[in-house]
Amino acid sequence: GDSVTQMEGPVTLSEEAFLTINCTYTATGYPSLFWYVQYPGEGLQLLLKATKADDKGSNKGFEATYRKETTSFHLEKGSVQVSDSAVYFCALSRLQGAQKLVFGQGTRLTINP
Amino acid sequence: NAGVTQTPKFQVLKTGQSMTLQCAQDMNHEYMSWYRQDPGMGLRLIHYSVGAGITDQGEVPNGYNVSRSTTEDFPLRLLSAAPSQTSVYFCASKTTGGSDTQYFGPGTRLTVL
């Protein structure tokens, strides 16, 4: 079945550091890929998405590129801020059927000033 | 727009008690779903619905019932709570496009003693 594997956390960085959170997936066909972010005490909100191979999703300085050849969707940001501290989830969704989101286990990111 | 709302925010139950978690959305979304979030496991789909009167099981449906009598509401029922159901529950909604964004509610933190 479909699955998503994320880089294990927690990850702790200093402000203005470069961030990479790895995400790889297993799925047949061409799923859509997502990064969701969960700030403390809140629900999940969409950070970015990509719907086909080589698409790049971007938002709030974060980027991720849909790489079908490596089945990856790594999240990157050039200079993190304290306000980026949150839990980040990689997920995939199929275009047909249940259209459910299959999530990775989440990566907790803490940014120190 | 209130988006996706959930009540209650917190709940403590004793083993064997029943309760209903409420979820409502005002975006006229056809697709609604319930997830549970457990540490280190990401979010897992419990039940979903593609429209009023239509529901189906997700990945972890045992111990939970749902119904969808209106487009707006999608309650989740625990008939006889068990400690294994201690979790954070999120409701989500979206339109039925496969790559469309799911919008999450703020969550209900449930503890079963």
Side-chain angles (χ1 to χ4, degrees), chain A residues 7 12 21 25 35 73 76 78:
Chain A
M7 165 180 181
T12 302
I21 301 177
Y25 68 91
W35 277 100
F73 193 55
E76 296 182 335

Side-chain angles (χ1 to χ4, degrees), chain A residues 6 32-34 36 38 41-47 49-51 87 89 93-106, chain B residues 9 31 35 37-45 48 50 58-59 88 90 94-107:
Chain A
Q6 273 183 248
S32 293
L33 301 175
F34 304 81
Y36 279 83
Q38 184 179 31
E42 298 184 11
L44 280 72
Q45 50 186 278
L46 179 70
L47 181 60
K49 70 178 183 181
T51 59
V87 181
F89 292 92
S93 175
R94 295 194 160 279
L95 299 183
Q96 291 85 31
Q99 298 179 28
K100 65 179 182 180
L101 282 168
V102 175
F103 286 89
Q105 73 270 35
Chain B
K9 286 181 103 52
Y31 185 98
Y35 293 85
Q37 182 181 27
D38 300 296
M41 300 186 73
L43 280 76
R44 293 179 292 167
L45 182 67
Y48 68 97
V50 297
E59 187 182 354
V88 181
F90 290 100
K94 66 186 284 293
T95 54
T96 51
S99 63
D100 291 347
T101 302
Q102 290 211 30
Y103 295 88
F104 285 81

Side-chain angles (χ1 to χ4, degrees), chain B residues 26-42:
Chain B
D26 61 359
M27 296 174 282
N28 202 32
H29 286 166
E30 301 95 336
Y31 185 98
M32 296 185 74
S33 54
W34 277 101
Y35 293 85
R36 60 177 288 173
Q37 182 181 27
D38 300 296
M41 300 186 73

Side-chain angles (χ1 to χ4, degrees), chain A residues 47-49 56-64:
Chain A
L47 181 60
L48 54 84
K49 70 178 183 181
K56 178 185 284 188
S58 61
N59 187 26
K60 300 181 181 179
F62 290 90
E63 293 183 340

Side-chain angles (χ1 to χ4, degrees), chain A residues 4-9 11 18-25 34-35 63-65 67 70-77 88-91 103-109:
Chain A
V4 175
T5 302
Q6 273 183 248
M7 165 180 181
E8 292 215 11
V11 175
F18 184 86
L19 168 71
T20 300
I21 301 177
N22 290 338
C23 171
T24 57
Y25 68 91
F34 304 81
W35 277 100
E63 293 183 340
T65 301
R67 300 284 189 203
T70 55
T71 62
S72 65
F73 193 55
H74 304 321
L75 183 68
E76 296 182 335
K77 186 174 185 181
Y88 292 81
F89 292 92
C90 185
F103 286 89
Q105 73 270 35
T107 301
R108 181 176 298 278
L109 173 67

